[in-house]
Amino acid sequence: MPRPRTDIEKSFRDWTFLIPKQNTRFQIPEIGKIFKLGWELLNKDPTEIGQQVIKRLATEEGLALIRALTDRQGNGGSQMSLDDFKDKTLPFLRTISHPDVLSSLILETPLDTICTFLFGPNGRRAISLFKSIASTLGSRALHTGVQDEEFIAIAVKTCLSVLERIVELNQGAQVIDEFTAIVNDLAANIPEHLLEAGSRSLIRLQQRLGIGATIPLLEHRSAKPIRTRPVFTVGQDLPGALSELGRRHDNDHASIVDIKILPTTEEIQSTRVEYLPSNDRTTHHLPGLAGLLDRQFRLLREDTVGQLRDAAQYEYQRLNSSTDAQTPSKRQRNGARNIVYQNVALLRLEFDRKKGLQVVVEFDQPSPLLRKGAKEREEWWTNSKRLLVDSIVCLLSSTGRAIFFSVCDPAPTPPPKDRDGNDRKDRLADYWRASNERPNLFKNPERATLMLSLVEENAEDITWINRHLGKVRKLRQSLVEFPGILLASFQPTLEAIKTISRTLDLPFSQFIAPDVQRAASVKIPAPGYSRKPGFVFNLETLAGGEQISMRPGQPFDDTKLREKSTLDDAQRIATLNALSSCLALIQGPPGTGKSYTGVAIIKALLKNRAAAKLGPIICVCYTNHALDQLLEHLVKDGVGQLIRLGSRSKSELLSDLNLHHVSKEALATRTEKHEKYKLYEELNVILDEIEELMPALRNPGDWKNVKQYLETYQGRYCQEIFGREVDEHGFREVRGKKFNALNSWLKGAPKRITSTRTVSQLSGVKLQEMSSHERSTLHRYWIEQSMAEGNRRLLHILDSYRQVKDSLKRCHQEVDLRCLLGAHIIGVTTTGLARNLDLLRRVRSKVVVIEEAGEVLEAHTLTALLPSVEHAILIGDHEQLRPQINNYDFQSNNPRGARFSLDISLFERLVDPQPEYPKLPYSSLEVQRRMHPSIAQLIRSTLYPRLQDDASVSTYPEVEGMRRRLFWLDHNNKEDASPSNLEQSYSKTNSWEVEMVAALVSHLVRQGVFQNEDIAVLTPYLGQLQRLKQRLRSSFAIVVGDRDLQEFAAKGIEDDNMETPTTVAGGVRKTTLLNAVRIATVDNFQGEEAKVIIISLVRSNDERRCGFLKTSNRINVLLSRARHGMYVIGNSDTARPVPMWDQVITILETDGNLGQTLALCCPRHQETEIEVSQPDDFSTFSPEGGCNQKCISRLTCGHACINKCHSEALHNAVRCLERCQRVKKGCDHACPKHKHRKMFDARNWLEPSWQAASIQSRSVVTKSHFPPVTPARLVVERRLNVVTTAKRRARIAMSKTKGAASRRWITVSARVAVEGSTTRACTPVQKAAMEKGHVGSASNRAKCDAAILVAARNATSLASLASKTARGLVPIGGRANCHAPCLATSFLAPSGVR
């Protein structure tokens, strides 16, 4: 039974009946009624009914209605009556300028149809209409009363909005003077306060029509305007046609709009240097905002795409040289890390309904896989992480072609479901599976196959691919892979910059790219929405619920707010300034609460969201991690209606707030469903056409393809060859014999005919009168023409496919748009914003908040300033990390790169500008709540003289186990030599510092007071990070940040010892000891903190090269992460040449916090002096984290502890093995039980584990190649003696079982299990150690310990399983350190073993 219509649906149906059919006369009053009812319907339901109203107006009947209105109302441009305007024209204009209509994706095409129709031939229809409107509104505005002001304001805003859309769609309007006159008349005749609502559209119109900027907001003294023709420096080679030498290549243009993102073939081949504009505006070929966008685009493209171009250029030159060996140029050496695959062949084309056109290629297996088995090849490809899905590769051919592809998943897209939910037959996928196996990298021992898709489809590349399919080994071709480089990381931002440059529609451009060279002072006005009459800010959320209001632009007494607010003075002032300025900048030194202040500002804005009609507030962060943190703060503070864009979130709290998840719950309108149905039907037709075309493309010489071509273009020839019937294989039966019709003609030429005429000369000649040579020539010509025809059809079908896919994407995004419009907060990364720029532009957000703005590239920040934004708040610190770029020649701290300074963020440029730019006012946070004053002094004396300490940081406790909370352990142990492998030479390591850090971490953890992630280890180099991970893994399961894991993959670093640890929510990895240790690079730890920070500086060399840590920004981050204590391990002589390090070292020396020995402190014997200078000193002087005295505390049973001095936590873990001394009531003998002992039979549980442990132990030890040093045997034997002691103690264990027989049986079982299993586990270790001969150095002893610990971990793990499964079996686990690897701890964990 059909669903009954609602009232509004009935009204819409009645409205459609009012629209006259074509060629029907109707009266003007009817027009007014139709448009008024249409506006009312759309206003009631802008989604479902609104979509149908607009689509109906875009039909021929609707356009005829619009023509009747404009012809009557325009009236040659003369003034129309006010009533006609109110009742007819205004409802129509409001209908097509409704915010939901303007932002809709699915209505974009019908709305463009209406606006283009309104423009009319040469703009005459729009000029006539809007001249009349401007005249009517101008005269009415001069005599308006208070009651009419609202009507005038609405009318002006509506007219400007429609006129803006018309001018945007029709570039011809920009050169028609009448449009300029209309805009001038409106701006001159309408009072300023009535223009306020439409000011955004007015500004855009003035920019489009070249009228100029709006009223300047810069108050400048003797400002010197930029010359219209800038003076260029001598030798400046301009871009494109402006260059005196001519264009460099086909991708060299004066306008960035014309530049392709990825390099073209000619660009790769070009040896001329690209045009790179400096930060000197006088040398730019474009002024103002256009010049700024041009510079950002070119530099960012060179930083990202340039490295791909240079690497591809080197390989291209190698392909075209006589020898394979060539010395790359400096520019090529600075290219991206790349991997080259040789002897590439294009096998065939494939097509996927979702992924589109695909190409199957094959190439030689890499040299390490020669003579390897299939399983070994599979493991190698998997572990190497090469050619992962979405990786960028470049196909280079010696023919002079370079094409960029992305790697595809070879699995075809599953067929769609039919209405019954069953899989619909997908003939494309079936044919593809039957044609060959899926591409595979490892199955063939000699050749690997791969599925690729074109990054940018264009006719030339597709045609070239078609012509070179199947030519195996006939061409010199290579495939260049760029590991770790994803197109999505830079392409959306570059495309967004191009989009902005087309319209120059950037908010606050008068501040960001002013048209004056010098400005003495700048006044930032209040946000546009706050300047509306009657608006006041409600500050209730800042005052703890107290009613406080603030009117922007007027004096505000914050006494009451100071009393009620939880913000400190600097935070409060920064918040008020942020609310009062349309472009607000907040600088926050480390630990001053930037995020806390940002959350307070966002909550205040949300309180005023409805009154100011703000729409969703967009929160932008550079990284996914920072975005997750910000949004989690908001959610925990009770903020609702929050949506996160992007799929890279690691937060479980935000999982249900992802746009993809939220949009699944939203329902599509009937219009959207109908539109999608039609599009899917079109898509099926296209797929059928491709299915028919694919056989011809795969085998163009097949007789069927030749016949089809002849039938279409050479009917006479087709009749001669295939005139009589042929079967499905092209054979004709003659006198009982079968002959291939085409081959018979090719081979049946009479020998007497020997002519060699060309194809053009053969026109009109009968086929039977041609020679064998002529027949072959003509046949090849037919095949070539058939291929060309197939290629033409393919290009046409692909164009239709792209259009349908784009339309389907808009249908799906329409639902996403409705979800975003209903949100209060939208969280997105800078890259995600650029990727979804078209969608977010339609959200009409007025406020954007950018966190960590000092770390964001200026290009990324510019894309975040959407056209609708009236209020931007940038929070960051330009003294901390700058944006990360790839090209050192663009860095500001490089003398050669200072003139580019691509790593200077927009935030830093506005706060600390160059001389010719104005300096904008900004707020600074001043009270830090993170670091102890002694640590904060290091950055206060060097960077932040106004930084204050909160009282709470002075009460921090001392670092347990350490004599000082701040110390630099100075040493002169040299850094490791760079490896010969070029792929690994990018990073630095220092083995001595690795061992020292490991020893210090172990000492701190043994104090038993640090909780999860209280200790963090920082280093500037990824190589050192990897070494530290490997070293600490034997004792800890280290927490590593996701960004570092991504960088490992990007740099191609393989972790051979990577385990699969148990994880909990948030990615924190569990440890087997008391605490976990975080380890990260400096750059990836900004915004983080820890109680204790241990720093490995790595660099130690005679040249005194400090490396990464020579910039004050990175030093600042490094020194400001610690709360309670910080310990730096490094060579001060290497660091001192850097000015900031020199100041820091001087401060530390003055306070006695620098030396070559590190003072430890035993918490129980504080008078004992302990100083260490080598890693082994920790085990000598503080073996258990205290001192080397014997523990003086008693165990809970009353017996003495036999261990060395240790923490209370370790002390409580000790289990006593002595007999109980208590006398039971009624008895006259001592208790025979062992204190705290329960014995169990675990032989069946542990047998498999011991066998596995034996194999693993042998493997670990035998792989270690140690020189034969006799003293090392004693080290191994000493450790095995500890195990023997454990076995003896296990044998004397008793059970609580009352029965003597049972007690004896359990004791014997335990003894056999311990003795047999331990022997089997230790024998291969001892044997291998004796054979190899372990050296006595610390690093090799650690390897020996690690080998034995393998068995211990297996035993402990299995014993824990036994305890959960067998009732009454309680294994008492201990904690064995690396110098006492007790295999018996899974049974008894005797204190003596430790």
Side-chain angles (χ1 to χ4, degrees), residues 106 675-676 679 807-815:
I106 201 172
E675 192 75 17
K676 285 194 285 186
L679 291 171
S807 299
L808 279 171
K809 181 181 178 182
R810 285 196 295 271
C811 285
H812 292 299
Q813 285 185 333
E814 187 73 20
V815 180

Side-chain angles (χ1 to χ4, degrees), residues 824-849:
H824 294 174
I825 298 289
I826 298 175
V828 64
T829 61
T830 54
T831 304
L833 187 144
R835 191 181 300 117
N836 296 279
L837 185 63
D838 184 52
L839 185 64
L840 290 172
R841 281 186 167 214
R842 300 172 185 273
V843 175
R844 308 185 302 277
S845 295
K846 294 183 180 179
V847 181
V848 61
V849 179

Side-chain angles (χ1 to χ4, degrees), residues 864-1008:
L865 299 178
L866 305 173
S868 60
V869 169
E870 300 177 13
H871 193 183
I873 302 170
L874 279 62
I875 305 174
D877 183 12
H878 59 285
E879 298 289 359
Q880 296 189 55
L881 287 182
R882 284 178 170 149
Q884 296 184 16
I885 61 175
N886 302 304
N887 196 334
Y888 180 64
D889 288 338
F890 290 164
Q891 290 187 2
S892 56
N893 61 348
N894 178 9
R896 298 189 308 274
R899 64 193 184 100
F900 299 113
S901 297
L902 181 61
D903 61 338
I904 298 295
S905 64
L906 176 63
F907 180 89
E908 181 175 356
R909 187 168 68 78
L910 296 178
V911 170
D912 187 17
Q914 293 176 332
E916 66 270 17
Y917 284 94
K919 182 175 183 179
L920 270 61
Y922 66 95
S923 303
S924 291
L925 308 182
E926 298 177 349
V927 180
Q928 69 90 14
R929 295 170 176 80
R930 174 188 296 165
M931 300 162 280
H932 186 272
S934 62
I935 301 174
Q937 182 62 27
L938 299 179
I939 62 173
R940 180 167 36 243
S941 300
T942 52
L943 297 173
Y944 306 104
R946 300 176 59 185
L947 186 65
Q948 304 172 24
D949 300 321
D950 187 73
S952 60
V953 299
S954 299
T955 62
Y956 285 161
E958 295 289 339
V959 179
E960 194 83 359
M962 307 299 294
R963 186 70 65 182
R964 294 175 178 270
R965 72 168 71 247
L966 174 64
F967 196 81
W968 180 311
L969 179 61
D970 194 14
H971 71 88
N972 57 5
N973 296 277
K974 303 303 180 185
E975 63 196 55
D976 301 335
S978 298
S980 57
N981 185 359
L982 291 177
E983 290 188 3
Q984 299 293 333
S985 62
Y986 55 84
S987 198
K988 301 291 182 181
T989 59
N990 189 310
S991 299
W992 187 88
E993 289 189 10
V994 169
E995 295 299 325
M996 199 67 191
V997 168
L1000 180 55
V1001 167
S1002 179
H1003 173 78
L1004 290 172
V1005 169
R1006 287 173 179 163
Q1007 306 309 312

Side-chain angles (χ1 to χ4, degrees), residues 125 150 152 178 262 300 303 348 486 585 728 772 782 842 951 1055 1121 1205 1392:
R125 185 176 289 123
E150 183 179 356
I152 297 296
E178 284 85 347
L262 290 176
L300 180 60
D303 184 60
R348 62 184 181 274
L486 296 177
L585 307 172
E728 59 182 0
S772 177
W782 290 342
R842 300 172 185 273
D1055 193 350
R1121 302 301 100 195
C1205 180

